[in-house]
Amino acid sequence: MSERVVPPAARRRRRPTKQGVVLSEELIVETALRLIEEHGADALSVRRLGRALGADPSSLYRYFRHTDDLMLAITDELIGRTLSTWRPTGDWRADLRDLGLRMHAGALAHPRAAVLSSYRVTGRVHEIQAVETILGVLRDAGFPDPDAVRIYHAFVDQALAFGAFDSASVALPQAAREAETAVWRATYARLPADTHPHIAATAHHLVTDMSHSSYPAALDLLLSAATTRLSQTKDKS
Amino acid sequence: MSERVVPPAARRRRRPTKQGVVLSEELIVETALRLIEEHGADALSVRRLGRALGADPSSLYRYFRHTDDLMLAITDELIGRTLSTWRPTGDWRADLRDLGLRMHAGALAHPRAAVLSSYRVTGRVHEIQAVETILGVLRDAGFPDPDAVRIYHAFVDQALAFGAFDSASVALPQAAREAETAVWRATYARLPADTHPHIAATAHHLVTDMSHSSYPAALDLLLSAATTRLSQTKDKS
DNA sequence: TTAACAGGTCAACGGTGTTGTCATAAGGTG
DNA sequence: CACCTTATGACAACACCGTTGACCTGTTAA
């Protein structure tokens, strides 16, 4: 029992399950994603996944050591989908802006999966490819290695963190989501100026601004700070 | 059974449990927090909490409708603690930096609660107080209202998003957490330079940098971009 | 042709949140 | 003081969960 998972390359004996399904890593990941999107993050359990696949739950342990392994495979699949259509143009700032917005949009397209997976380090192919590409964009732009790594880290984490953060709102039950947007109109917009002068003075801006994601603004702030830093670096040399 | 939770004000008959403990909402929240701190994030379950309190698990349902209710009560307690000791000094940039770091640290101190609650808008007193204060800091610094709101939004969401993001790693089962840090050493640091030149060139920086939170760096980038914007605004007037 | 074994199934273990039911002691009332 | 109401704790049960050891069988390579 010490090792029941066989590397994908060595898989050959593809016996169908009792219900006639031929399992594979891809099929399992695909089905898991569908399950999450259709029935919520809580719907993902080994038993339910087995049922959805037409296989005994324990069969899945031939493909994944534990649930966490499966989660990582799902995550990597999502990273791959996000990057598959992105191509850097040579303008580092525009490229990173585009990529950041894509990552954010990608998370929002699969909010329930994003909430579970955004913070994981997979060490799988798609992730490695992404790291290499982004680092390349920054180093080619002229950032010294320590800056490149620091900005890479902040950039990626910001995109992932906001992706998960905004996904969490989207994944909320509809009633709860509506209740939260109502708070800005019903509570904040009605605070009297004598007790809460700053909120009262900006109430109009708050109501319109708080209903959107702040990620684009945060991303632009990060990129403009990076631009400033790069020009300072070039002045010195 | 439609309503087994009695509002705190109406509680009078404080009968002790079999083991002699007198339950209360405060005691339960306190014990839950202690449990998380002492035995890790996974240690919080209704059954374990009941055991720690010396009460039957089902007794807790007299105080909280479900575990999520308990989670929110814990979160509310934490928000209060985080803000209670912070006082703005008049230096807007230093004040926001301090507050951001406090919010982030507060989340990390109770990761399991942070993950579940960071993205919620409560509209309660502590939250309103925080909004008013932060907006005041920005407007007093000289930011025009639209900028103040935009920067406020980005600042708060970034602190909360990174708080939840970094908490998620901390809340991971220990084995998974160790596996992730190992990935940087075992996988990324060993990629050959001919296939992954940028990773290979910065491997040393990656290994040291990726094991820390990037929030302080992201926070500084945001604040320095805001500073630049403020000076541009002042030039025009 | 046959032997090895990958990959499926089955049953079980110890955990989880949650609820219906019951017992009882606390507290108000006369 | 005695009585009645009921808040609140305890118990048992339900339906799940992830995971594993043992078993069985069809596929494949020799």
Side-chain angles (χ1 to χ4, degrees):
Chain A
M1 180 64 51
S2 68
E3 199 40 67
R4 71 199 312 168
V5 175
V6 166
R11 291 187 178 278
R12 287 186 312 276
R13 309 192 181 174
R14 340 235 64 263
R15 166 159 42 152
T17 71
K18 247 185 176 179
Q19 301 186 35
V21 184
V22 175
L23 294 179
S24 70
E25 197 175 312
E26 296 78 36
L27 181 61
I28 295 174
V29 168
E30 224 169 79
T31 307
L33 262 175
R34 214 193 59 227
L35 216 54
I36 291 175
E37 291 313 324
E38 286 179 6
H39 301 97
D42 300 341
L44 187 63
S45 76
V46 177
R47 296 175 126 93
R48 246 195 279 238
L49 183 52
R51 221 179 300 137
L53 280 161
D56 189 272
S58 64
S59 303
L60 305 184
Y61 287 84
R62 303 279 180 206
Y63 294 83
F64 301 97
R65 260 184 261 277
H66 23 246
T67 350
D68 207 58
D69 257 24
L70 172 59
M71 213 51 243
L72 291 183
I74 293 174
T75 304
D76 204 59
E77 170 65 20
L78 289 182
I79 294 175
R81 289 190 190 180
T82 299
L83 265 104
S84 63
T85 58
W86 176 76
R87 293 285 176 281
T89 64
D91 177 350
W92 72 270
R93 183 164 175 169
D95 286 341
L96 287 190
R97 184 164 199 281
D98 182 39
L99 180 59
L101 294 177
R102 274 171 196 254
M103 291 174 70
H104 189 250
L108 285 181
H110 297 273
R112 327 227 206 208
V115 167
L116 294 181
S117 68
S118 70
Y119 55 89
R120 305 309 305 273
V121 177
T122 68
R124 287 167 173 248
V125 282
H126 290 132
E127 192 190 61
I128 293 174
Q129 187 54 51
V131 175
E132 174 68 15
T133 310
I134 300 173
L135 273 178
V137 167
L138 287 168
R139 293 180 80 231
D140 290 347
F143 285 97
D145 287 353
D147 282 5
V149 168
R150 200 172 309 123
I151 292 173
Y152 158 78
H153 192 185
F155 169 81
V156 167
D157 280 12
Q158 189 191 51
L160 294 173
F162 271 89
F165 183 78
D166 291 329
S167 290
S169 304
V170 171
L172 229 47
Q174 198 181 357
R177 191 156 79 254
E178 284 168 1
E180 300 216 339
T181 60
V183 167
W184 289 104
R185 259 195 302 281
T187 304
Y188 282 93
R190 289 184 185 163
L191 290 172
D194 51 345
T195 61
H196 298 83
H198 298 296
I199 292 177
T202 58
H204 176 68
H205 291 116
L206 278 176
V207 170
T208 59
D209 199 285
M210 297 309 286
S211 59
H212 301 96
S213 168
S214 61
Y215 177 65
L219 173 61
D220 283 333
L221 288 173
L222 187 148
L223 290 176
S224 82
T227 304
T228 304
R229 182 158 189 90
L230 181 59
S231 69
Q232 286 169 350
T233 303
K234 286 183 174 166
D235 285 350
K236 279 186 196 159
S237 61
Chain B
M1 181 60 51
S2 69
E3 199 40 64
R4 73 196 313 166
V5 175
V6 167
R11 292 187 178 278
R12 287 186 315 278
R13 309 190 182 177
R14 340 241 59 261
R15 163 155 49 151
T17 70
K18 248 187 176 176
Q19 302 186 33
V21 184
V22 176
L23 294 179
S24 71
E25 198 175 312
E26 296 79 35
L27 180 61
I28 295 174
V29 168
E30 225 169 80
T31 306
L33 272 174
R34 213 193 61 226
L35 215 54
I36 293 176
E37 278 170 10
E38 288 179 5
H39 300 95
D42 303 339
L44 188 63
S45 76
V46 177
R47 296 175 127 91
R48 251 196 277 239
L49 182 53
R51 220 178 299 137
L53 280 162
D56 189 273
S58 66
S59 302
L60 304 183
Y61 287 85
R62 301 282 180 204
Y63 295 82
F64 301 97
R65 262 185 257 278
H66 12 254
T67 1
D68 226 46
D69 258 23
L70 172 59
M71 249 7 276
L72 289 183
I74 293 173
T75 301
D76 206 53
E77 170 67 19
L78 291 183
I79 293 175
R81 290 188 191 181
T82 299
L83 271 116
S84 64
T85 58
W86 177 77
R87 293 285 176 281
T89 64
D91 176 350
W92 71 270
R93 184 163 174 171
D95 286 342
L96 288 190
R97 186 163 198 280
D98 182 39
L99 180 59
L101 293 177
R102 273 171 195 254
M103 291 174 70
H104 188 251
L108 284 183
H110 299 277
R112 177 109 180 246
V115 166
L116 294 180
S117 65
S118 71
Y119 54 89
R120 296 206 174 161
V121 180
T122 68
R124 285 161 171 257
V125 279
H126 286 134
E127 191 189 64
I128 292 175
Q129 189 54 54
V131 175
E132 174 68 15
T133 311
I134 299 173
L135 274 177
V137 167
L138 288 168
R139 292 179 80 229
D140 289 347
F143 286 97
D145 287 353
D147 282 4
V149 168
R150 201 173 308 122
I151 291 173
Y152 158 79
H153 192 186
F155 169 81
V156 168
D157 279 12
Q158 182 169 273
L160 294 173
F162 270 89
F165 182 78
D166 291 329
S167 291
S169 306
V170 172
L172 234 44
Q174 198 182 358
R177 194 157 77 253
E178 284 167 2
E180 298 216 339
T181 60
V183 166
W184 289 105
R185 262 196 305 281
T187 304
Y188 282 92
R190 290 186 184 159
L191 291 171
D194 52 344
T195 60
H196 299 82
H198 298 297
I199 292 177
T202 57
H204 177 68
H205 292 115
L206 277 176
V207 169
T208 59
D209 199 282
M210 296 310 285
S211 59
H212 301 96
S213 167
S214 62
Y215 178 64
L219 173 60
D220 284 332
L221 288 173
L222 187 149
L223 290 176
S224 82
T227 305
T228 304
R229 182 158 189 90
L230 181 59
S231 68
Q232 286 169 351
T233 303
K234 285 182 174 165
D235 285 348
K236 279 184 193 159
S237 64

